[in-house]
Amino acid sequence: MPSIPLSDRFSHAGQRFSRFAKDYSAYLFVRMLVAIVQTLPLDMGDRMCRGIAWLAARVFKIRRSATHENLSRVFADAEPAQRDELELAMWHHLMLMVCEIAWAQRRLHLTNWTDHMSFRNHRKMLAVLLTKRPVVMVSGHFGNFEVGGYMFGMMGCESTTIARRLDNPFLHRWVERFRSAKGQYMVDKDGCAAEVQEHLESCGTLAILADQHGGPKGCWVNFLGVPASCHKALALFSLSTNAPMIAGYTIRIDRRPMQFESGTVDVADPFNDPQSHCASVSSLTQWYNRQLATAVSGAVEQYWWLHRRWRQPPEKIAKRLARKTEISRAA
């Protein structure tokens, strides 16, 4: 084997050290901010989030193009000023969500959870979770899904969650520790299909955010009245293992920090499917998108409108979805 020149070795070592220093500095900065946030009273944290949200939306205009494009698609009849106010409210929600994640481990416990969390329509969920069957739980980039997962684990319901690995290894391990603190097991989304399938076949619970863009070859359905591509794997996980699919959410209520409602919109069960929601990948994908849309309509400011959920579908698919929409309206 040819030896690597000494100069190249020093260059590679310098690059690795530079990357290490950059990542670790970012990690220390984030941890310092979190430590400060954890000491803040809830009302002071809320006021701080409103200020940061105004800067993000009005001054720095972060992700404004994507946000306005999404809002214009979904709320085509709304006035520009109304969409601007919704954008500002979304940023306030996102900033407050970060604070709530920082507060959760210190302020949310088994002894006081009733002060922070209420449940809606959870008999359906419990009826499924208490059976010895695999379960697929779907939600979206909506509400405070991180606190929802944390609370779910604190109640003793262990689950596996698919998530993208963060580029910063120090931040990744820290976020993973928070998510796994109460029984959530994290798997990297790249190449996880076999592991997830095995988990479900062992009667495990899979919790996943179901509003990721599935690409041009995904399963195209209408979400909030606009064509969106979905990963087919979500429906396949449920159908291939006969796992009931639960559509749920965790939202902030009463416009108060650390006050949540965790709800079940509905359940689709392959063993009890009179309306044929589980007849195919397409029908189940359309079903859970309808449930997520129902949840979002109750608190539109808590959806991630900066998330690139909607893309332009291929021409044939766009025509097919348009025909379906016309037929639905006519009916």
Side-chain angles (χ1 to χ4, degrees), residues 10-25:
F10 278 116
S11 176
H12 293 323
Q15 290 175 1
R16 289 196 300 270
F17 179 78
S18 176
R19 179 62 183 270
F20 170 87
K22 181 180 178 181
D23 288 343
Y24 197 68
S25 297

Side-chain angles (χ1 to χ4, degrees), residues 254-285:
D254 300 330
R255 298 186 177 183
R256 295 168 58 197
M258 294 296 290
Q259 296 296 312
F260 304 104
E261 176 185 279
S262 182
T264 302
V265 187
D266 207 350
V267 177
D269 189 345
F271 286 170
N272 182 19
D273 190 29
Q275 295 181 300
S276 300
H277 296 313
C278 302
S280 66
V281 168
S282 178
S283 63
L284 187 55
T285 302

Side-chain angles (χ1 to χ4, degrees), residues 23-265:
D23 288 343
Y24 197 68
S25 297
Y27 166 73
L28 290 177
F29 179 71
V30 170
R31 289 303 305 269
M32 181 183 68
L33 288 180
V34 168
I36 294 172
V37 167
Q38 287 176 331
T39 66
L40 295 177
L42 299 185
D43 57 344
M44 185 179 294
D46 187 28
R47 289 196 297 271
M48 179 189 71
C49 290
R50 292 186 185 278
I52 297 174
W54 183 83
L55 290 173
R58 298 290 190 260
V59 178
F60 298 108
K61 301 180 181 179
I62 301 172
R63 296 295 295 270
R64 189 165 205 181
S65 177
T67 302
H68 278 209
E69 183 179 351
N70 289 337
L71 291 174
S72 297
R73 285 174 168 174
V74 177
F75 302 105
D77 296 332
E79 296 293 331
Q82 293 175 309
R83 292 197 288 264
D84 287 344
E85 286 303 309
L86 184 52
E87 178 192 20
L88 183 61
M90 176 205 69
W91 275 108
H92 173 240
H93 160 68
L94 291 178
M95 297 301 101
L96 196 51
M97 178 181 174
V98 174
C99 289
E100 288 166 341
I101 293 169
W103 288 328
Q105 285 187 306
R106 294 194 175 191
R107 306 191 189 194
L108 185 58
H109 309 286
L110 281 175
T111 57
N112 71 348
W113 67 266
T114 54
D115 296 333
H116 300 282
M117 181 77 71
S118 61
F119 293 96
R120 179 181 292 273
N121 199 25
H122 264 48
R123 290 188 178 184
K124 286 185 176 182
M125 175 184 286
L126 290 174
V128 172
L129 292 175
L130 293 177
T131 63
K132 295 182 179 179
R133 296 176 60 189
V135 177
V136 176
M137 302 181 65
V138 296
S139 187
H141 290 82
F142 170 63
N144 198 326
F145 51 86
E146 293 286 4
V147 169
Y150 182 83
M151 187 69 186
F152 186 73
M154 192 167 66
M155 292 296 185
C157 300
E158 296 185 353
S159 63
T160 290
T161 302
I162 300 173
R164 185 182 73 84
R165 188 176 186 85
L166 299 179
D167 295 332
N168 187 316
F170 304 104
L171 286 175
H172 176 80
R173 286 194 291 269
W174 177 59
V175 171
E176 193 172 53
R177 283 197 300 272
F178 168 79
R179 287 173 167 171
S180 61
K182 299 299 179 181
Q184 290 187 83
Y185 175 66
M186 313 303 299
V187 295
D188 194 341
K189 73 172 188 176
D190 293 328
C192 69
E195 186 175 359
V196 170
Q197 189 74 16
E198 182 180 352
H199 173 71
L200 289 172
E201 289 173 354
S202 302
C203 296
T205 298
L206 173 67
I208 190 168
L209 299 181
D211 59 344
Q212 301 281 8
H213 177 63
K217 296 183 179 180
C219 183
W220 287 85
V221 298
N222 283 322
F223 176 57
L224 292 171
V226 182
S229 176
C230 307
H231 290 287
K232 298 176 182 178
L234 275 69
L236 285 171
F237 285 144
S238 180
L239 298 177
S240 63
T241 58
N242 288 317
M245 180 177 283
I246 302 172
Y249 62 88
T250 299
I251 59 172
R252 188 180 309 104
I253 57 174
D254 300 330
R255 298 186 177 183
R256 295 168 58 197
M258 294 296 290
Q259 296 296 312
F260 304 104
E261 176 185 279
S262 182
T264 302
V265 187

